[in-house]
Amino acid sequence: MSETGVTAPKGFVAAAVTAGIKPSGNPDMALVVNQGPEYSAAALFTRNRIVASPVKITRANAANGVLKAVVFNSGNANACNGAQGDLDAREEAEITAQQLGIDPADVAVCSTGLIGDVLPMDKLRAGIPLLAGGLADHGPAAARAIMTTDTVAKQAVANGDGFTVGAMGKGVGMMAPSLATMLVCITTDASVTSEDLDAALRAATRVTFDTLDIDGSTSTNDTVIALANGASGVRASSRELAEAILRVCEDLADQMQADAEGVTKRVTITVEGTATDEQALNAARTLGRDNLFKCAMFGSDPNWGRTLAAVGMAEAEMDPERISVYFNGQPVCINSTGAPGAREVDLSGPDVDVRVDLGTGGRGRATVRTTDLSHAYVEINSAYST
Amino acid sequence: MSETGVTAPKGFVAAAVTAGIKPSGNPDMALVVNQGPEYSAAALFTRNRIVASPVKITRANAANGVLKAVVFNSGNANACNGAQGDLDAREEAEITAQQLGIDPADVAVCSTGLIGDVLPMDKLRAGIPLLAGGLADHGPAAARAIMTTDTVAKQAVANGDGFTVGAMGKGVGMMAPSLATMLVCITTDASVTSEDLDAALRAATRVTFDTLDIDGSTSTNDTVIALANGASGVRASSRELAEAILRVCEDLADQMQADAEGVTKRVTITVEGTATDEQALNAARTLGRDNLFKCAMFGSDPNWGRTLAAVGMAEAEMDPERISVYFNGQPVCINSTGAPGAREVDLSGPDVDVRVDLGTGGRGRATVRTTDLSHAYVEINSAYST
């Protein structure tokens, strides 16, 4: 057991290697293996209709609620590679299964990186046996090996009553999940059915990864996998399990927001005063995706007018004459009109809290986390594949 | 008559002054007056639910199909100023009417600039009489006076059979119209009913301003006004009028795209192979608003994978295995897989043509014009109000 990450719970081992997929020479493959005695699994995927080959394979293999291993590569998304991509993802599962002496149908495959380049399978074929031979307490190394434009590895751990939940994740751009975000692997030594695991995972992602919106773009590869092995001997209650899984998802989501591409501000947007939570979420997302609002945040500019212009286009009922906006707790707009001192509110710190009341008197409420739109975001994303 | 702009048709005069609203000291008020003998008018407005006070006044005054004058100010949007904003916009119409000896209900008011600052009415009260006293062949000066972050004035003219259509417009950011975009004033000396004018204006905006999407943000002040006076003595046919109005709208939309905030690339996106035109438009808009796609354009990066990831989230039917993408006429993705040489396609020029076939075999088709997302866009919009 490591102190953090996917090998924190009992009965999980991991490994990482540099297979040579990334031109940088950084580690680019990882393997997480559940040593049992149980093999419950749940998985959630991108809702993009263009899905990467590993998502197709993993969706099929996770459908029966059983997974024993997850093989990861970074540096190549294996998306939009047609039949060759499907063959390659399947071969990854097969080689991994062969090395571990398990059924290929119990292996999940996750890839992340550039879309549209065929996987360098010779490198993966050489890398997988090295991973299988190096399995140990290497959760932290695995977390580093799945990074792309991430600048720090992302791990989390939550202790339940007699059981542990560990997790790793990657994701800093192309992040606008509606179901999951980028790659996340959660492990637990609690004893739990795949149904309970699935329910806990769905509940946690709904209020964590699903409300993190960095740039409005949704990846072809988003996958969140949870594995449970019962190695602690503790049968966790649904509530206990849900709480522990929520804690690691919150922790990873915080880390993803803090490491988002080009981030200089972490912006938390809460919309309230709508008829339903769904309307509030829609309005919060609309604001969180508005480039003019995001540029103003980058400039520490309390330009609340852009907040109103953005929410005015949301699919949410509102009273256009009764909207209020608060920046860092200070009123900047009351009844859709500027509040005294609004232009002087200090947004120079790294965290900005935005609260918008759409004025209908309803009890709907939702929070979305986003970031500013900075020069660095443009730089990172205009020079990524070239 | 001037050669271009709103005073190109017979019987229209205009003026511009520096009233002192803009800190820069650049011209910031304009007036366009229809000298008759007819006063047909049509107007279209933003579909944002947060609308500026001048939009409310102008919507009411244009409802009967009659307008005799339009007063403009730049440097202040008069949006989100509550009851004071409504009073101020009404007073602008009243002073203008008084100066011209007409009914205030026949005056349209247009404002553009920062949201949420109360209008400096002392400056407007002084400016309007100067405008009224300076009315002449000053269409070009009026076009300059409505500029905000525009770097060039935008005018257009189209000659029909015995009649002329002139136009001016401004708009380079907060541009994602679904009905109109920013401020546009079109004049014609054709004799035409307000109903025909309205039909021609709606048809033209649908395929011009409505498909120009710079940043996905929709203004609170968008207004497109058309005025017709019959001074040519020519009763234009519906078809002739529609063609001439379409020509000036196309011309202005081209100018707006070319002058968009921070633009280094003009990107034309055509989506086809959908069941309906509406689905194609939705997919083209989704791609045109995707920040990762726009950053790739800025980097002259033929990263077609981002094109697929973006359209995969559009509300359009597609065959995920049969999508094709062409950059500048060269295939980069066929059947959802990279085409040979895709990474070497040259996008270094200022114009990029993107064509996406969503593979359903349907005849739906739509084109949207957008721009790249550049450092300059971030710079302009993070430093705008401060």
Side-chain angles (χ1 to χ4, degrees), chain A residues 51-74:
Chain A
V51 298
S53 294
V55 170
K56 297 180 202 170
I57 303 297
T58 302
R59 187 182 276 153
N61 289 355
N64 67 346
V66 175
L67 288 174
K68 295 186 176 175
V70 187
V71 61
F72 299 85
N73 79 272
S74 54

Side-chain angles (χ1 to χ4, degrees), chain B residues 53 57 95 110 115 117 129 133-134 142 146 193 205 213 276 296 303 338 345:
Chain B
S53 295
I57 303 298
I95 300 173
C110 293
I115 296 171
D117 281 348
I146 61 172
T193 64
T205 56
D213 193 322
T276 65
N303 191 333
V345 171

Side-chain angles (χ1 to χ4, degrees), chain B residues 2 57 105-106 189 201 213 236 242 247 249 267 271 277 295 299:
Chain B
S2 60
I57 303 298
D106 293 336
D189 51 20
L201 191 61
D213 193 322
R247 285 215 299 283
C249 290
V267 183
V271 172
D277 289 351
C295 283

Side-chain angles (χ1 to χ4, degrees), chain A residues 46-51 56 79-83 86 114-117 173-176 178 215-220 261 289-296 298-306 308-321 323 333 335-338 343 373-386, chain B residues 46-51 56 79-83 86 114-117 173-176 178 215-220 261 289-296 298-306 308-321 323 333 335-338 343 373-386:
Chain A
T46 182
R47 76 172 178 91
N48 201 315
R49 266 163 296 188
I50 313 295
V51 298
K56 297 180 202 170
C80 304
N81 288 326
D86 295 349
L114 187 64
I115 297 171
D117 280 348
M174 204 179 267
M175 259 173 108
S178 302
D215 54 13
S217 303
T218 302
S219 158
T220 50
E261 285 177 347
R289 290 179 184 178
D290 187 77
N291 280 352
L292 289 172
F293 168 76
K294 290 163 83 84
C295 283
F298 174 54
S300 300
D301 176 3
N303 191 331
W304 58 266
R306 291 182 183 172
L308 261 70
V311 298
M313 291 302 293
E315 286 174 25
E317 283 172 71
M318 62 191 73
D319 182 338
E321 305 295 337
I323 298 173
C333 171
N335 289 335
S336 302
T337 304
R343 302 271 185 232
L373 176 56
S374 68
H375 285 304
Y377 180 89
V378 173
E379 191 63 27
I380 292 165
N381 287 302
S382 58
Y384 182 50
S385 87
T386 49
Chain B
T46 181
R47 76 172 178 90
N48 201 314
R49 266 163 297 185
I50 314 294
V51 298
K56 297 180 202 171
C80 304
N81 288 327
D86 295 349
L114 187 64
I115 296 171
D117 281 348
M174 202 178 269
M175 260 174 108
S178 302
D215 54 14
S217 303
T218 302
S219 159
T220 52
E261 286 177 346
R289 290 178 183 178
D290 187 77
N291 279 353
L292 290 171
F293 168 76
K294 289 163 83 84
C295 283
F298 174 55
S300 301
D301 176 2
N303 191 333
W304 58 268
R306 292 182 182 170
L308 261 70
V311 298
M313 292 303 292
E315 287 174 24
E317 283 173 71
M318 62 191 73
D319 182 338
E321 306 295 336
I323 298 172
C333 170
N335 290 334
S336 303
T337 305
R343 302 272 185 233
L373 175 57
S374 68
H375 285 303
Y377 180 89
V378 173
E379 191 64 28
I380 291 165
N381 287 302
S382 59
Y384 182 49
S385 88
T386 50

Side-chain angles (χ1 to χ4, degrees), chain A residues 16-153:
Chain A
V17 297
T18 298
I21 305 166
K22 285 179 180 166
S24 65
N26 287 327
D28 49 21
M29 288 198 78
L31 179 62
V32 175
V33 176
N34 179 356
Q35 298 181 309
E38 300 168 10
Y39 304 96
S40 296
L44 300 174
F45 303 95
T46 182
R47 76 172 178 91
N48 201 315
R49 266 163 296 188
I50 313 295
V51 298
S53 294
V55 170
K56 297 180 202 170
I57 303 297
T58 302
R59 187 182 276 153
N61 289 355
N64 67 346
V66 175
L67 288 174
K68 295 186 176 175
V70 187
V71 61
F72 299 85
N73 79 272
S74 54
N76 186 314
N78 192 16
C80 304
N81 288 326
Q84 186 63 49
D86 295 349
L87 285 174
D88 289 345
R90 199 167 294 123
E91 189 183 344
E92 278 185 79
E94 281 162 6
I95 300 172
T96 304
Q98 193 176 21
Q99 290 289 322
L100 298 174
I102 61 176
D103 186 334
D106 293 336
V107 177
V109 180
C110 293
S111 298
T112 179
L114 187 64
I115 297 171
D117 280 348
V118 173
L119 276 178
M121 280 306 291
D122 52 332
K123 292 172 180 167
L124 280 86
R125 286 184 197 111
I128 296 171
L130 296 176
L131 288 170
L135 286 166
D137 180 17
H138 295 320
R144 280 192 297 277
I146 61 173
M147 292 163 62
T148 52
T149 50
D150 304 67
T151 66
V152 293

Side-chain angles (χ1 to χ4, degrees), chain B residues 1-14 32-40 68 136-139 156-167 186-192 227-235:
Chain B
M1 292 184 287
S2 60
E3 288 188 11
T4 60
V6 290
T7 49
K10 294 190 186 85
F12 287 94
V13 286
V32 175
V33 177
N34 178 355
Q35 298 181 309
E38 301 168 13
Y39 303 96
S40 297
K68 295 186 176 175
D137 181 17
H138 295 319
V157 69
N159 292 304
D161 188 6
F163 70 96
T164 300
V165 175
I186 299 168
T187 54
T188 178
D189 51 20
S191 175
V192 51
L227 308 171
N229 65 10
S232 66
V234 172
R235 177 158 293 277

